[in-house]
Amino acid sequence: MTINELLPGQSAIIIKINKGETARNRLMAMGITPGTNITILARHPFRGPVTVGLGNSRMAIGQEIARAIEVKPQ
């Protein structure tokens, strides 16, 4: 399952990032790493970003990246 398949309010643990090294390094610098717990805050319509909560932070992740982040729902 990937981030873009989760619904608002659902929490999950990041399992794997299936993207190139540059994108993976950028995500890891933002704190999106395997083992991290995230919560889906909003899914924006028309291929818009997915807003996730990560600790005390919020960030928007584009659909392409969201499809590349494997998660395990909690």
Side-chain angles (χ1 to χ4, degrees), residues 3 16 31 46 56 74:
I3 285 180
K16 185 177 180 183
F46 308 110
N56 292 327
Q74 290 188 318

Side-chain angles (χ1 to χ4, degrees), residues 4-42:
N4 69 316
E5 297 175 276
L6 297 172
L7 299 174
Q10 281 188 293
S11 293
I13 296 176
I14 296 172
I15 298 172
K16 185 177 180 183
I17 300 171
N18 297 315
K19 200 67 178 157
E21 185 177 345
T22 302
R24 188 172 33 250
N25 289 340
R26 184 167 179 231
L27 290 168
M28 293 177 99
M30 294 188 309
I32 299 175
T33 60
T36 302
N37 188 15
I38 60 162
T39 301
I40 305 303
L41 302 175

